Amino acid sequence: MAIAIRAHNNRSESLLNWRQLLNERTGERTGVIIRPQGSRFRLRPTDWVLNWGSSAALPNNLATVTEQRLINSPAAVSLSTNKIRCLETLQAAGVPTVEFTTDRQTAQGWFVDGQIVYARTVLQGHSGEGIVVCARDTVGAENSLIQAPLYTKGITGPRREFRVHVFGGVITNVQLKRRRNGYQEMANYSETIRNFHTGWVYAASSVFPNPASLQAALNAVSALGLTFGAVDVITNQENAWVLEVNTAPGMEGSNATAFVEALMAYTSGRTIHPWSNINVTATPSPTATAEATDSNADAAPVQEAPAPVEPTPAPRTRNDGFDLTVAANTVVGFEWQETQPVAPIQTNPFTPRPNGLENGGIYEVTFEGVNHIMRYSDRPRGFQMFGFVTVIPVNRVEVVRRAV
């Protein structure tokens, strides 16, 4: 079995990273990057085709692939990469997005009201390409907005930005956008446009997204008809809004590892290992089952997961008791709940508790600028967010009050 890779850029560093890792894991040349022209690759019935961010029609030597073995159709990628079509599709499917408009007068009203407005002059750009930030304190109170095909309204107040990776209806990794080392010395550091060149990177440690952001990411990938996608989500308290969905995201380190493991599991019919403990329930969406269309390519059906090996597959569960079953092409909702009794926390009588905290007590704490309800534990010492196994050290949070 081979995985033929059709890419928008065959020299993409991210593509080369995960393709090399895939070949190392399988011990053979499983991932084959297809040249734009002159490729002599012959597709076999057992092969897969993975489309890495390309909205162009498949070349003739890949066109015979079946729907079940095509990962991210060109039509679905085209729908995802066009900012307007993507936001409109997500909005129609009930996925929360940032407020947007194509009407300049509407955006001008936001601007006059003192809102930050992002003028998107490039509809298929990435890494902040084509974004012009319009705010009263930057362009002047008397100035009008520039002409652009799309405007989005900024989210104000304390906020965090996550990238949620979804593959085959399963969350495989979550990253948090943080300031990179040395950002203070960067002349082009920005709080409004956050990318590598303006002082921001995605980090994988101490990542605590709220439930709404994970649900929005699952729903977004499903609504666009994608098999995999990296969803950029911005959060404020318990709210979440989708910014965009990436079909050729950055891949390195643990992120590339998670992607390759999910790809290997998906193409072999095995269960994809989830990133976190979430209880998933699925609700069919009429939008998700509609065909994605592309004005520059033949209409292609939405990608579906491969048929299960067993006629009635058992629910996919982890050993911690959380149900992880999800159907393909569905809008997914979930709730955070433990399906097994939690083992009692053992108290260490020989270690004094800091600040009079009670073992097993429920507290409101501030972590990375956001308030959470967490449980304090003596062993290991720290605070634990409900639904997560990670323990946050006491010195990383500020205790507000006893909640229960």
Side-chain angles (χ1 to χ4, degrees):
M1 180 196 76
I3 299 177
I5 305 167
R6 167 66 186 278
H8 74 295
N9 177 11
N10 282 0
R11 297 183 179 181
S12 162
E13 184 177 351
S14 294
L15 166 61
L16 298 178
N17 282 343
W18 71 257
R19 183 249 191 172
Q20 178 181 353
L21 181 60
L22 173 65
N23 291 345
E24 291 174 355
R25 289 293 180 89
T26 59
E28 54 189 35
R29 193 167 173 259
T30 302
V32 181
I33 299 177
I34 306 301
R35 296 195 301 268
Q37 296 178 344
S39 173
R40 293 185 293 178
F41 178 83
R42 293 187 177 182
L43 190 71
R44 297 166 298 184
T46 56
D47 293 336
W48 293 76
V49 174
L50 186 147
N51 182 21
W52 186 253
S54 175
S55 57
L58 294 176
N60 291 336
N61 61 334
L62 301 182
T64 58
V65 66
T66 62
E67 296 176 13
Q68 290 74 22
R69 290 184 175 269
L70 173 60
I71 301 174
N72 279 10
S73 71
V77 171
S78 176
L79 182 64
S80 306
T81 55
N82 183 288
K83 309 297 183 187
I84 295 178
R85 294 175 63 204
C86 176
L87 290 172
E88 288 176 343
T89 300
L90 297 180
Q91 186 181 67
V95 178
T97 68
V98 290
E99 195 168 351
F100 67 95
T101 184
T102 58
D103 180 60
R104 186 179 179 183
Q105 291 303 317
T106 299
Q108 181 70 23
W110 298 343
F111 174 77
V112 172
D113 289 341
Q115 301 290 330
I116 296 177
V117 179
Y118 295 89
R120 310 297 296 258
T121 62
V122 178
L123 291 182
Q124 293 183 301
H126 59 86
S127 302
E129 179 185 3
I131 297 179
V132 178
V133 181
C134 305
R136 299 291 288 273
D137 57 351
T138 59
V139 301
E142 304 302 324
N143 292 353
S144 298
L145 299 179
I146 66 169
Q147 185 67 45
L150 175 66
Y151 303 92
T152 58
K153 183 192 291 187
I155 303 297
T156 58
R159 62 195 185 279
R160 293 188 291 175
E161 189 174 328
F162 297 91
R163 174 163 288 182
V164 183
H165 296 262
V166 178
F167 201 122
V170 178
I171 294 174
T172 57
N173 197 27
V174 182
Q175 300 166 292
L176 171 65
K177 188 170 281 189
R178 288 197 175 99
R179 297 176 182 87
R180 54 185 286 200
N181 293 335
Y183 76 93
Q184 299 94 331
E185 289 74 37
M186 296 182 63
N188 57 340
Y189 170 76
S190 173
E191 279 282 348
T192 51
I193 299 180
R194 299 182 176 186
N195 57 42
F196 180 82
H197 304 290
T198 61
W200 298 83
V201 293
Y202 278 108
S205 61
S206 300
V207 178
F208 300 99
N210 63 26
S213 63
L214 301 182
Q215 177 175 338
L218 286 166
N219 291 355
V221 171
S222 178
L224 293 170
L226 297 167
T227 305
F228 74 85
V231 186
D232 291 343
V233 186
I234 191 167
T235 65
N236 181 313
Q237 299 296 330
E238 297 306 314
N239 300 310
W241 301 268
V242 171
L243 300 173
E244 60 183 354
V245 180
N246 304 276
T247 57
M251 288 287 168
E252 61 181 0
S254 61
N255 192 35
T257 300
F259 179 81
V260 167
E261 289 181 350
L263 174 60
M264 293 172 61
Y266 186 84
T267 54
S268 63
R270 294 184 285 109
T271 299
I272 297 176
H273 191 280
W275 170 78
S276 63
N277 302 332
I278 55 176
N279 182 34
V280 182
T281 58
T283 304
S285 165
T287 306
T289 56
E291 289 189 346
T293 59
D294 182 14
S295 58
N296 299 318
D298 293 334
V302 171
Q303 168 66 19
E304 295 184 358
V309 177
E310 299 293 335
T312 307
R316 296 182 290 175
T317 59
R318 293 181 60 183
N319 56 11
D320 52 18
F322 288 89
D323 180 15
L324 294 164
T325 304
V326 62
N329 291 331
T330 56
V331 173
V332 182
F334 63 86
E335 58 184 24
W336 294 81
Q337 63 181 24
E338 294 167 290
T339 57
Q340 288 183 343
V342 179
I345 300 176
Q346 299 181 3
T347 303
N348 182 357
F350 303 102
T351 305
R353 299 185 180 95
N355 303 322
L357 297 174
E358 181 180 348
N359 186 36
I362 309 300
Y363 295 87
E364 180 182 352
V365 303
T366 301
F367 175 66
E368 295 187 342
V370 179
N371 282 14
H372 300 274
I373 300 298
M374 299 188 185
R375 180 175 59 186
Y376 173 74
S377 169
D378 275 347
R379 185 182 300 175
R381 173 173 290 181
F383 286 92
Q384 189 173 24
M385 186 181 296
F386 294 101
F388 292 89
V389 297
T390 304
V391 176
I392 305 171
V394 175
N395 60 3
R396 297 276 313 273
V397 305
E398 178 183 350
V399 178
V400 176
R401 63 183 177 86
R402 177 73 183 263
V404 178

